[in-house]
Amino acid sequence: MTNELETAAGASAGGWLRWRRKQADIPPGTPCANCDTPLAGTYCHACGQLAEDFHKSIWKLGREALESFFHLDGRLARTLPRLILRPGRLTRDYVDGKRAFQVPPLRMFLVVLLLTFLVGQCTVGRQIEEWGIGDPAGIASQGARNTALAEIEADETLTEAERRAAISAVQSDWAGVARAVGEAREEELARSGQTLEENLSGQNAFEAWLGDRVRATQEEPRRFALLLGMWAQRVAILALPVSAMILTCLFFWRRDVFVFDHVIFSMHSLTFQLLLLTSVIPLAFWLGPWAWGLLWLSPVHLFIHMREAYRSNAVMTLVRMSALFILTNIAASFMLLLWLFLAFNEMRG
């Protein structure tokens, strides 16, 4: 996983573990150590400095550190139920300025996005182990692998380079596969009376770019998987501005709705969708494919959310949802291609 999303989500999650001091260490009336203004509360009303005496014993410092870390901000307990049950009201309250009781939408979105990637990677890794993915050619036992090697050795239709490539594949030696493929290419060029340098000079820039990265991907499949995971997190962030732009187009004639409203709606809606997906992935592991049926809650929640947040009737909400579904799928296709391109482009030989 990349450090960018982890850092952002970690900093955001820190806001949930927010400890508010009930009373000041320094009694009221004491001059502020920073500006000498008489103190009237926990913070100086003139400069904002905390009215705290830092000359404390190690035991008191340890007790306060533990208390501040484990004190969960009550806003989370008030925000999540409303996000699930009354999402439209939650968004309207934030847009209308009633924000003190809410977890900031961007903070919640980043933390849930990180949680989704963590759950997804753990679940996919476990599923790969169960399915035996990564075992070359689906060979699950040493005996079957030996049988496959014997069949390859006995196959007289294979050239020497092809045989070496097949053996390397069975042994999961992807670097050996790449070398064998390269040797096979050189043999083919030798039969045609052309050198490798002459062949490469005749290639255009795209073919050279593609061939270089294909070879690197074959030699380092694990690195390519890591790059896919890294760019998946970065590209996923684009879902937020893309969603806000689509909603802006769908409500362009509404003078009472602003881009800021669409951004808040998008953060709340995407947070719920990610929470739903994060819940379904492990449930599908234990309950089987039936758990994926819970994803039908996604359009239901979106309908309730959009209708109340934008104060529109049921028909117009369904029309906008249909348009949102079509445009989102088009945008998601481009984002998928962008994700694959960015990861593939970094696989230089």
Side-chain angles (χ1 to χ4, degrees):
M1 306 210 34
T2 54
N3 293 330
E4 294 95 331
L5 183 58
E6 291 176 352
T7 303
S12 299
W16 293 354
L17 301 172
R18 193 170 163 192
W19 179 47
R20 296 178 179 175
R21 192 176 296 281
K22 296 180 180 179
Q23 60 184 9
D25 282 352
I26 302 175
T30 304
C32 173
N34 184 56
C35 65
D36 292 330
T37 303
L39 296 170
T42 307
Y43 293 87
C44 175
H45 60 276
C47 68
Q49 179 167 286
L50 177 65
E52 185 170 10
D53 181 11
F54 289 97
H55 298 288
K56 304 174 183 179
S57 67
I58 186 65
W59 301 111
K60 187 173 183 180
L61 285 172
R63 186 174 68 251
E64 289 185 358
L66 290 173
E67 184 180 1
S68 64
F69 183 80
F70 288 107
H71 184 85
L72 186 64
D73 191 351
R75 292 182 302 171
L76 181 61
R78 291 193 293 269
T79 302
L80 280 181
R82 289 167 67 89
L83 176 67
I84 297 171
L85 302 176
R86 296 292 304 277
R89 185 72 263 157
L90 182 71
T91 301
R92 283 254 47 100
D93 284 345
Y94 193 91
V95 170
D96 294 340
K98 300 176 182 178
R99 304 168 187 170
F101 72 91
Q102 293 193 31
V103 174
L106 181 59
R107 174 181 298 167
M108 187 163 55
F109 170 72
L110 289 174
V111 173
V112 172
L113 180 60
L114 176 63
L115 179 64
T116 303
F117 275 106
L118 288 173
V119 171
Q121 288 190 353
C122 292
T123 306
V124 169
R126 185 174 171 185
Q127 194 71 65
I128 286 175
E129 292 178 1
E130 287 197 355
W131 287 347
I133 299 175
D135 189 26
I139 302 169
S141 67
Q142 184 63 41
R145 184 178 292 110
N146 292 335
T147 302
L149 290 173
E151 291 176 353
I152 293 171
E153 292 288 353
D155 191 345
E156 298 180 355
T157 62
L158 297 176
T159 65
E160 190 61 31
E162 290 172 341
R163 182 173 288 103
R164 286 197 298 270
I167 292 173
S168 297
V170 171
Q171 295 173 342
S172 194
D173 180 10
W174 302 113
V177 172
R179 287 193 299 271
V181 170
E183 292 171 1
R185 178 62 175 165
E186 290 179 3
E187 290 178 5
E188 180 182 348
L189 292 174
R191 287 194 296 269
S192 64
Q194 188 180 21
T195 65
L196 181 61
E197 290 73 14
E198 291 173 344
N199 179 262
L200 290 176
S201 64
Q203 288 184 339
N204 57 37
F206 174 75
E207 290 175 338
W209 175 87
L210 182 63
D212 183 44
R213 282 152 182 80
V214 167
R215 285 191 297 273
T217 302
Q218 291 172 333
E219 293 175 1
E220 300 179 274
R222 290 184 179 274
R223 178 177 167 233
F224 183 58
L226 289 174
L227 287 171
L228 285 174
M230 179 185 73
W231 281 109
Q233 297 175 11
R234 296 175 179 177
V235 173
I237 298 292
L238 294 178
L240 183 56
V242 167
S243 175
M245 289 174 58
I246 293 175
L247 289 169
T248 301
C249 295
L250 294 178
F251 289 89
F252 72 93
W253 65 86
R254 287 275 300 267
R255 299 300 179 186
D256 59 328
V257 181
F258 302 92
V259 175
F260 174 78
D261 304 356
H262 302 314
V263 173
I264 301 303
F265 177 90
S266 299
M267 285 190 284
H268 282 156
S269 182
L270 289 172
T271 299
F272 173 81
Q273 307 302 334
L274 290 171
L275 277 175
L276 180 61
L277 181 62
T278 304
S279 303
V280 168
I281 290 175
L283 283 176
F285 215 23
W286 297 317
L287 304 180
W290 293 103
W292 293 104
L294 293 174
L295 291 180
W296 283 105
L297 293 174
S298 177
V300 174
H301 184 274
L302 180 60
F303 175 81
I304 296 172
H305 191 185
M306 184 176 286
R307 185 178 182 186
E308 187 171 6
Y310 292 106
R311 300 190 179 103
S312 57
N313 59 52
V315 175
M316 288 305 300
T317 300
L318 289 173
V319 170
R320 292 189 180 105
M321 279 183 60
S322 301
L324 181 63
F325 177 78
I326 296 172
L327 294 174
T328 300
N329 276 279
I330 295 174
S333 300
F334 282 106
M335 290 170 62
L336 177 62
L337 292 175
L338 176 64
W339 168 51
L340 294 174
F341 169 77
L342 290 171
F344 188 67
N345 185 52
E346 289 202 20
M347 291 297 298
R348 299 179 181 88

